[in-house]
Amino acid sequence: MTPHIEANLGDFAKTVLMPGDPLRAKLIADNFLTSAKLISSVRNIYAYTGLYKGKTISVMASGMGNPSMGIYSYELFKVYNVENIIRIGTCGAYKDSLDLKDLILVDSSYSDSSFAKVQNNSLEDTISSSSILNSVIENTANAIGINITKEKVYCSDVFYSDISDFKKLRDEYNCAAIEMETFALFHNAKVLNKNASCILSVSDSFVKPDKLTSAERQNSLNKMITLALESAIKA
Ligand code: HPA
């Protein structure tokens, strides 16, 4: 047990999928896993372990933002001996080459967050995901015919910013999209010598007016969940 997770040691699989939303964790457990067991629900941050194609996989929500992801991913890696975390989330596209529902494999995360500085005095502002895990995800995507593009993303601590300049983040920092959890996840994986990757579905765009219907949104999320699960059983 940790201050934030009530599961017993040994309850988590080696690989954990992390959506932001607890209800998405439940949806994955209910619809994609068999024999899924709820192993933690502290603060309604649901965690489940179950079987996907006969292999044991866990899914747990991260909550929103680096501080929340920072707590859960640290405890999973450090206390529960989790080896691999694959975040599955949504992002806002900065580039017009990205359409709604496109899938991104996050290559690296740029952030102006103080997370790494406060965690261990690191001055890094860009952290890479796991190349090993990324290869598994890319090979799996190819094998099952899912398109995914590798991109650098901006990981923000502030959703409602009055000063954030997306064109600068795109054109000077080469960030293709914005989300809010990868920086803490990749930093924790790095300091604890574990593997973390992230698959994102484009849910909104800063440069295109289109909006997703809820059916379209769920469909693209299902594609992302399938890719994450198919990759997780090979990791
Ligand atoms: N900002 C931050 N995080 C996000 C966004 C956004 O516009 N869209 C999806 N996740």
Side-chain angles (χ1 to χ4, degrees):
M1 286 206 339
T2 68
H4 310 98
I5 305 174
E6 66 197 345
N8 295 313
L9 289 185
D11 278 353
F12 280 96
K14 176 179 142 198
T15 302
V16 181
L17 264 49
M18 293 193 91
D21 178 357
L23 292 180
R24 195 154 295 144
K26 182 177 185 324
L27 179 145
I28 295 168
D30 288 346
N31 296 298
F32 291 82
L33 302 182
T34 54
S35 313
K37 192 175 144 221
L38 182 69
I39 54 173
S40 186
S41 61
V42 179
R43 291 172 184 251
N44 286 339
I45 291 287
Y46 303 136
Y48 299 84
T49 295
L51 297 174
Y52 182 75
K53 297 194 172 172
K55 302 250 171 69
T56 306
I57 297 292
S58 296
V59 54
M60 178 178 179
S62 67
M64 287 187 283
N66 282 314
S68 185
M69 171 59 95
I71 290 170
Y72 296 114
S73 59
Y74 195 91
E75 293 179 1
L76 289 176
F77 284 143
K78 180 92 179 175
V79 179
Y80 290 97
N81 301 316
V82 166
E83 287 299 320
N84 310 306
I85 293 178
I86 304 174
R87 161 166 154 69
I88 44 176
T90 57
C91 63
Y94 282 172
K95 297 204 302 195
D96 62 12
S97 58
L98 289 170
D99 287 320
L100 299 186
K101 301 187 284 177
D102 280 358
L103 295 187
I104 293 177
L105 177 61
V106 179
D107 191 30
S108 63
S109 172
Y110 163 76
S111 190
D112 39 20
S113 167
S114 61
F115 185 90
K117 168 92 174 75
V118 176
Q119 202 281 322
N120 72 348
N121 236 354
S122 165
L123 296 179
E124 276 183 315
D125 64 8
T126 304
I127 311 179
S128 294
S129 47
S130 159
S131 54
I132 299 169
L133 215 43
N134 286 350
S135 304
V136 173
I137 295 168
E138 282 186 294
N139 291 339
T140 305
N142 277 336
I144 61 179
I146 289 179
N147 276 333
I148 188 158
T149 52
K150 234 186 194 171
E151 302 280 8
K152 179 180 177 183
V153 299
Y154 169 52
C155 182
S156 178
D157 277 343
V158 180
F159 191 91
Y160 297 107
S161 170
D162 286 344
I163 58 158
S164 189
D165 180 351
F166 88 86
K167 287 185 183 150
K168 182 170 176 190
L169 289 157
R170 179 189 64 195
D171 301 336
E172 285 179 35
Y173 292 85
N174 210 17
C175 295
I178 177 173
E179 57 80 59
M180 304 185 76
E181 290 83 19
T182 49
F183 192 71
L185 173 61
F186 296 170
H187 175 84
N188 282 345
K190 187 169 177 180
V191 300
L192 296 170
N193 213 5
K194 305 280 185 164
N195 306 308
S197 287
C198 174
I199 307 169
L200 298 171
S201 170
V202 176
S203 61
D204 46 271
S205 173
F206 285 65
V207 285
K208 291 187 178 181
D210 329 0
K211 290 271 168 278
L212 287 181
T213 65
S214 56
E216 286 174 324
R217 194 185 175 90
Q218 196 53 55
N219 251 340
S220 81
L221 294 175
N222 287 348
K223 198 168 67 165
M224 174 171 68
I225 292 163
T226 301
L227 174 57
L229 285 167
E230 290 289 334
S231 304
I233 58 174
K234 297 191 195 97

